[in-house]
Amino acid sequence: MNMKIVEVGQRIRPHLVFWVLIIISLVSCNNEKTGSRKHSDKDFERVSVAVRQQKPEARAMVDSALAVARDSMTYYDYYFLLGNLYMVNAPDSALMCADRILRFAQQQEPSPRVNGIAGSAYNLRANYYYLYHQNADEVIKDNKEAYRLFMQSDLINNAPDVCANIGDAYKQVNQLPDAASWYRRALVLADSINLPKRRRISFYMGLGDIYQKLEDYDLSEEYFAKSMDNLDSMQANMKITCLNNYGNLQFYKKDYPKALSVFQQMDSLIAELNLRGGFEDYLCRINMADVLQNLGRTKESLATLAPADSFFRAKGVGDGIYYANTIRIANALQKNDMGTVSSIIATEPKALTQDENMLDIRNRYLHDYYVKTGNTRLADYYEELHQQRRDSIENSQEHMRAKDIVARLTIDTLQLHNQLRIEEKNAVIQRNLLVSAVVVSIVLLIALALLAWTLYLRKRNADKEQEIANLKIATVRNSMSPHFIFNVLKHATTLDVQDAEETIRSVIKLMHSQIDISREMFVPLRRELEFTQAYIDTAATTMGDDFSFQLIAPEGKQLDECLVPSTFVQILVENAIKHGLRGLDRPKTLTVAIDNKENMTTIEVTDNGRGFDVRNHNTRYSNEGTGTGLRVILNTINYYNSRHRDAILFDIDNVIDDKGETLGCRSVLSIDESQLKKEK
């Protein structure tokens, strides 16, 4: 028959401060987490916390904030906090604050911000009627208006708690099905807007209490269990309330050992919080006394009850006095002490409580008392009262089942509307993403088109440049030096007919070979050396008997696998003969040496002629003052090296003896075969 904190708090005026603090804490906590406006303001947050915790400096902080409020909206945000402060010590002033806020809001154009301010005012006014006038009709009316406004405001996160407030008001007047439907609505909204679990605890507790009243203990246990699962995350006052109500459930289920364990846990928490001697302490004691009495531990029950009974009588707490007397009646009936029961009945003030559970259990004890004392009329009367209570519970259960069906339909509708809103938002997001994707794609396509066009133009220009360069190179490669041909033909006139014809045929064959080989940019090294050998054989006829040529090259497939720019070796040999050896009055030697190691082919052309005039020529990649053939080599090298760094290297320098005398000239080509094969 345990007394509940909520019901005592609703009916006993001396303890209203305790419940005002709880409501202020809930309201401030709600404001702390809602909206996209003031709640991101650190100053407002600081003041709100001070109000919620009822700090001594809270009033000064609110007054200071009101004095410097930057606009009327912000002013009335802080004015709402002032109303919460008044709720503790000057409740009529809290009502005036609420009315003033409403007058301001009604003069503004409706908007989410204005609706939030008006909703807060209606909620503040409803709390005033709930705490100080027990006017359920006013509480329900104002809270329903607050709910409507919050659902259209930037404080929508407050809506679930207002639903729970409406449920509390319906529960106060024993309209349990309506109360349950509003608690369920609170849970649906909490899920829809993803409130943290700790904000849902009171909703579970409200439903657990309703089903306990309807004696549906399984459902009550289910909802209270969800509250108990979050016990560690609760604030101190909420922990006490949760343990008290959960202990009540175990008591009504007649699981007295578990009920005693829960109340002992509550007692330990009260000691930990230094709340000994307060209302919560004696509430816990009287509940424990009732449990001990039902466990047959009569002496312990009376010893535990005594200080609680004294406290409630001193404070004039009617529910507490009535509850203590009921426990004393139960103990007396167990001992057949009818005199004590009679004395309690005779001296107890009337109308100490309106709690139906307390009245029903007292009525059952009085039925037993009048049966034992032989007063059948009164025994039948209290039996009839008990039966009316049973009928009322059954009717409530029937109404609850009907309300449950409606509530589920309402919940399904709310969930459907919420799902539709989510899907609509997702559709808008998808459309925006699609438009963005199309725009980005168009931009990318334009950028890619511009890039492709730029690259095409660059490639076309590069191809033209290459084509021009190749034409120039090919022109040189396709034209045999006229001086060389003239000298060979002139020499042929000094020969007999047969030798002259042979010489002319070799010139013609050499010119055909040059045309064939110069059509390709790169040829195998063996083919280049064969062409060079044919040139030397022809040129040797004009060089005299003291001219000698030596070729040093590796054997095997290397000469077939190595690639070289066509006519390069022939041009170097021709330059050596033309500029270094021709006309010398001494033995003349020419050597071509080939080396191939690790994809690097080196071709060295050395003569013992006049040497290279270093005063007029750079020794590396210079074409200043050089012949046409050397320009072909240098231009070709520059072109390929611009595409592949250091693909071909070329050096030309003089061979010097120890005395500094020039002994001839050496030209060196170094070719990176791996780079050259990529180019090919």
Side-chain angles (χ1 to χ4, degrees), residues 596-600 672:
N596 180 264
K597 293 180 180 177
E598 298 179 355
N599 282 328
M600 182 63 70
D672 187 340

Side-chain angles (χ1 to χ4, degrees), residues 216-271:
D216 189 341
Y217 298 132
D218 290 338
L219 268 178
S220 181
E221 178 77 39
E222 179 182 329
Y223 284 113
F224 273 121
K226 292 180 180 180
S227 300
M228 291 295 291
D229 287 343
N230 295 279
L231 190 66
D232 292 340
S233 65
M234 297 181 195
Q235 294 181 349
N237 52 7
M238 186 65 76
K239 281 185 181 180
I240 292 173
T241 302
C242 186
L243 289 169
N244 179 78
N245 293 352
Y246 189 59
N248 289 342
L249 171 63
Q250 305 310 318
F251 176 87
Y252 287 115
K253 289 173 65 176
K254 298 184 179 181
D255 188 347
Y256 300 121
K258 187 170 182 179
L260 181 61
S261 173
V262 174
F263 287 123
Q264 286 172 340
Q265 186 179 354
M266 178 180 171
D267 183 66
S268 298
L269 179 61
I270 288 169

Side-chain angles (χ1 to χ4, degrees), residues 363-566:
N363 291 342
R364 289 182 343 198
Y365 286 144
L366 291 178
H367 169 268
D368 294 344
Y369 166 70
Y370 287 117
V371 167
K372 288 183 178 182
T373 57
N375 190 334
T376 56
R377 183 182 65 82
L378 287 177
D380 290 343
Y381 170 74
Y382 283 108
E383 177 63 25
E384 178 65 21
L385 290 178
H386 176 65
Q387 188 57 47
Q388 290 176 2
R389 169 65 175 165
R390 303 310 309 158
D391 292 342
S392 175
I393 290 176
E394 289 177 3
N395 288 333
S396 294
Q397 289 173 341
E398 289 296 326
H399 284 104
M400 177 66 83
R401 280 190 282 272
K403 281 284 185 180
D404 277 350
I405 295 173
V406 175
R408 289 191 183 97
L409 290 174
T410 303
I411 289 171
D412 290 342
T413 302
L414 285 170
Q415 290 175 331
L416 178 60
H417 287 169
N418 182 60
Q419 184 63 33
L420 289 174
R421 286 198 303 271
I422 293 173
E423 290 178 359
E424 184 179 350
K425 289 181 179 178
N426 287 338
V428 172
I429 292 172
Q430 290 297 327
R431 284 198 298 271
N432 291 339
L433 288 175
L434 180 60
V435 171
S436 299
V438 170
V439 171
V440 170
S441 298
I442 292 173
V443 172
L444 286 176
L445 286 173
I446 293 173
L448 289 173
L450 290 174
L451 178 60
W453 180 250
T454 302
L455 293 176
Y456 168 74
L457 291 177
R458 289 183 180 178
K459 184 177 184 302
R460 189 175 69 174
N461 291 337
D463 289 343
K464 286 184 177 180
E465 291 176 0
Q466 180 181 352
E467 184 179 355
I468 292 171
N470 289 342
L471 287 173
K472 291 180 178 179
I473 293 170
T475 299
V476 174
R477 285 176 170 169
N478 288 327
S479 60
M480 188 70 67
S481 170
H483 293 287
F484 167 72
I485 296 172
F486 175 75
N487 288 334
V488 173
L489 293 177
K490 182 180 178 181
H491 175 68
T493 61
T494 64
L495 303 175
D496 58 34
V497 175
Q498 184 176 355
D499 290 338
E501 290 177 353
E502 183 66 28
T503 300
I504 292 171
R505 281 195 294 270
S506 68
V507 170
I508 295 171
K509 182 179 179 181
L510 179 63
M511 292 176 69
H512 279 297
S513 298
Q514 185 184 34
I515 292 172
D516 290 338
I517 198 170
S518 62
R519 288 174 180 170
E520 301 179 50
M521 295 302 294
F522 302 99
V523 295
L525 181 55
R526 183 184 300 281
R527 186 176 171 192
E528 175 71 12
L529 293 178
E530 289 173 350
F531 173 67
T532 302
Q533 184 66 58
Y535 173 80
I536 291 173
D537 291 344
T538 303
T541 60
T542 64
M543 295 296 291
D545 295 336
D546 57 355
F547 170 75
S548 63
F549 170 72
Q550 183 181 17
L551 174 63
I552 303 172
E555 298 292 336
K557 296 182 179 180
Q558 288 183 340
L559 296 181
D560 297 311
E561 294 173 351
C562 295
L563 295 176
V564 295
S566 64

Side-chain angles (χ1 to χ4, degrees), residues 27-50:
V27 171
S28 299
C29 182
N30 294 345
N31 288 340
E32 177 185 359
K33 295 294 181 184
T34 57
S36 58
R37 48 171 184 161
K38 65 192 181 190
H39 311 288
S40 61
D41 188 322
K42 292 183 180 179
D43 291 334
F44 181 87
E45 183 71 22
R46 181 172 51 84
V47 178
S48 180
V49 169

Side-chain angles (χ1 to χ4, degrees), residues 199-386:
R199 292 279 301 279
R200 310 177 196 191
I201 296 170
S202 61
F203 312 155
Y204 293 130
M205 289 172 59
L207 285 167
D209 188 41
I210 287 172
Y211 283 106
Q212 176 188 298
K213 288 178 178 291
L214 294 175
E215 298 183 3
D216 189 341
Y217 298 132
D218 290 338
L219 268 178
S220 181
E221 178 77 39
E222 179 182 329
Y223 284 113
F224 273 121
K226 292 180 180 180
S227 300
M228 291 295 291
D229 287 343
N230 295 279
L231 190 66
D232 292 340
S233 65
M234 297 181 195
Q235 294 181 349
N237 52 7
M238 186 65 76
K239 281 185 181 180
I240 292 173
T241 302
C242 186
L243 289 169
N244 179 78
N245 293 352
Y246 189 59
N248 289 342
L249 171 63
Q250 305 310 318
F251 176 87
Y252 287 115
K253 289 173 65 176
K254 298 184 179 181
D255 188 347
Y256 300 121
K258 187 170 182 179
L260 181 61
S261 173
V262 174
F263 287 123
Q264 286 172 340
Q265 186 179 354
M266 178 180 171
D267 183 66
S268 298
L269 179 61
I270 288 169
E272 180 184 334
L273 297 172
N274 296 318
L275 296 176
R276 290 293 187 207
F279 174 80
E280 305 88 349
D281 183 20
Y282 293 112
L283 174 64
C284 182
R285 288 171 185 265
I286 198 171
N287 285 338
M288 290 178 68
D290 199 3
V291 174
L292 290 168
Q293 184 272 324
N294 280 275
L295 286 170
R297 296 159 63 174
T298 304
K299 290 184 179 180
E300 292 178 72
S301 173
L302 293 175
T304 304
L305 176 64
D309 188 18
S310 298
F311 174 82
F312 292 129
R313 291 181 188 279
K315 300 294 184 180
V317 181
D319 283 334
I321 296 170
Y322 189 85
Y323 190 8
N325 284 340
T326 301
I327 295 173
R328 292 185 188 282
I329 289 172
N331 278 315
L333 287 174
Q334 282 185 348
K335 295 184 292 186
N336 286 319
D337 182 1
M338 302 303 153
T340 297
V341 177
S342 178
S343 175
I344 293 173
I345 294 172
T347 59
E348 184 180 68
K350 302 299 181 183
L352 286 175
T353 186
Q354 298 176 8
D355 184 275
E356 293 186 357
N357 282 336
M358 287 187 181
L359 291 171
D360 183 54
I361 294 179
R362 172 71 74 86
N363 291 342
R364 289 182 343 198
Y365 286 144
L366 291 178
H367 169 268
D368 294 344
Y369 166 70
Y370 287 117
V371 167
K372 288 183 178 182
T373 57
N375 190 334
T376 56
R377 183 182 65 82
L378 287 177
D380 290 343
Y381 170 74
Y382 283 108
E383 177 63 25
E384 178 65 21
L385 290 178
H386 176 65

